Amino acid sequence: MFKAILIEKTVDGSNDHYQATLKDVEESQLPAGEVVVDVHYSTLNYKDGLAITGSGPIVRSFPMVPGIDFSGVVSTSSNPKFAAGNRVLLNGWGFGEKAWGGLAQKVSIDAQYLTPVPAAISLKDSMIIGTAGYTAMLAIIALEKNGLTPDKGTVLVTGANGGVGSFAISLLARLGYQVAASTGRPEEAEYLTQLGACEIVDRNLLSEPGKPLQKERWAAAIDSVGSHTLANVCASIKESGTVAACGMAQGMDFPASVAPFILRNITLAGINSVTRSAEERQVAWARLAELVDPSLLASISQEITLDETIEAAHRLMKGQIRGRVVVKIQD
């Protein structure tokens, strides 16, 4: 037996009942996979919050174990790429949505989805970084590929208090960039400054409908908000700048104009962290191993237990959680 958060749906007449509970699960219920991993840490991400609370149509089949990422130690493996005792992690690939995820003490998974944990990173720190830090790194790599360098000007980060935003600010600052942080929580200005932000931007200045072409303010941006915010960000990017879009917290719509793309030659780079190749993942994690300051990780994270995860998911969806939430899986 092992403990796992299990999301189940029952049909009573015309009504669906959707519930997440912490349960003891028989190991025989584990999906078939080449590698069995003893999970040490997972995280609580926005997608996990949607899945656990039923706030969005994230879960594709039932019952489902949520958790879009995890880190742990290989218990058994039938694939020569991994052996018992190897430290591994997972980000994305639809786990926690289409296949059982990491909010459980054990995971059974095919080797192609696993990434070795860099030697310089602990299992816990790999999850403080998690999908959020990995996504932020992919966004920065995309900006760099489009020619961004620190001398080009300030980089805007929206959704600054979230996991992706927090990491984007700290990583950009470590790379020598001037960073502007957009937030709707002015009381968090000190926190964002400690991460490396040199300017705080009121979220309300970006979240409402705006002009299709606005004053050039930022050399580039990393946006995890979408909707009007992304449209206004694009309208305010300097000539030949790039926006890396990696989230849709405000909405999936993009009520924008082609004007900044044609008249200012800007680029909108989509960041899909879910299905990146093994090579891209390893490059991103190698960069993270070099750049992440371990002393910073504690300040942008909090640790909870598996028992506390469902309640924390409800607080996450109410906007009551800052930074990264790491879930300690093993007792």
Side-chain angles (χ1 to χ4, degrees):
M1 300 285 284
F2 65 95
K3 290 187 179 298
I5 293 177
L6 206 62
I7 301 173
E8 298 172 288
K9 181 171 73 170
T10 58
V11 179
D12 178 12
S14 61
N15 298 317
D16 289 345
H17 297 280
Y18 182 104
Q19 187 173 17
T21 53
L22 181 63
K23 290 192 171 185
D24 289 322
V25 180
E26 294 279 358
E27 289 195 31
S28 60
Q29 290 184 250
L30 276 172
E34 298 171 319
V35 184
V36 176
V37 179
D38 291 327
V39 180
H40 286 224
Y41 292 94
S42 185
T43 59
L44 186 62
N45 294 278
Y46 184 71
K47 278 188 176 180
D48 302 319
L50 289 172
I52 291 170
T53 63
S55 302
I58 291 296
V59 177
R60 310 292 178 85
S61 62
F62 298 87
M64 177 60 63
V65 175
I68 68 171
D69 52 16
F70 67 80
S71 65
V73 177
V74 173
S75 173
T76 62
S77 174
S78 62
N79 188 299
K81 289 183 178 180
F82 296 101
N86 287 168
R87 302 187 318 145
V88 295
L89 61 83
L90 171 122
N91 302 115
W93 292 116
F95 286 84
E97 303 173 63
K98 296 182 288 186
W100 282 20
L103 287 169
Q105 292 178 328
K106 287 187 179 291
V107 170
S108 178
I109 189 171
D110 284 344
Q112 64 177 315
Y113 301 118
L114 294 171
T115 301
V117 177
I121 301 176
S122 71
L123 289 176
K124 179 178 178 179
D125 286 353
S126 75
M127 284 297 98
I128 298 177
I129 298 168
T131 294
Y134 157 68
T135 301
M137 192 71 250
L138 290 175
I140 292 170
I141 291 171
L143 297 181
E144 291 174 337
K145 285 182 176 179
N146 275 3
L148 181 67
T149 52
D151 61 291
K152 296 290 179 65
T154 300
V155 180
L156 174 70
V157 176
T158 67
N161 288 103
V164 174
S166 295
F167 269 102
I169 293 167
S170 61
L171 291 169
L172 286 165
R174 293 271 286 180
L175 287 166
Y177 290 92
Q178 295 289 305
V179 185
S182 171
T183 179
R185 295 155 68 181
E187 69 276 10
E188 300 288 1
E190 182 178 354
Y191 163 74
L192 297 172
T193 301
Q194 289 173 349
L195 290 180
C198 61
E199 177 187 355
I200 306 299
V201 178
D202 187 339
R203 178 179 66 192
N204 293 328
L205 297 176
L206 299 169
S207 60
E208 299 298 326
K211 295 180 180 179
L213 205 62
Q214 302 173 29
K215 179 182 178 181
E216 296 180 56
R217 298 185 62 183
W218 301 293
I222 296 175
D223 175 67
S224 59
V225 180
S227 192
H228 290 292
T229 297
L230 178 57
N232 286 319
V233 169
C234 289
S236 305
I237 294 295
K238 294 180 179 179
E239 175 81 20
S240 297
T242 300
V243 179
C246 56
M248 54 188 82
Q250 187 180 4
M252 292 181 64
D253 58 323
F254 183 43
S257 162
V258 298
F261 300 96
I262 295 173
L263 300 180
R264 290 182 181 162
N265 193 42
I266 77 160
T267 298
L268 180 59
I271 306 300
N272 173 19
S273 64
V274 176
T275 57
R276 301 301 275 259
S277 69
E279 292 76 18
E280 290 175 300
R281 291 168 184 272
Q282 290 175 17
V283 166
W285 278 99
R287 292 284 303 278
L288 287 164
E290 295 172 0
L291 289 172
V292 169
D293 179 1
S295 64
L296 177 68
L297 294 180
S299 70
I300 63 173
S301 65
Q302 57 181 288
E303 181 180 304
I304 63 173
T305 65
L306 195 55
D307 292 356
E308 298 169 316
T309 302
I310 294 174
E311 187 274 333
H314 287 274
R315 289 192 289 115
L316 176 69
M317 299 312 296
K318 294 176 183 176
Q320 297 172 350
I321 287 181
R322 179 182 76 183
R324 299 287 292 146
V325 179
V326 179
V327 183
K328 185 177 182 181
I329 301 296
Q330 300 292 335
D331 295 330

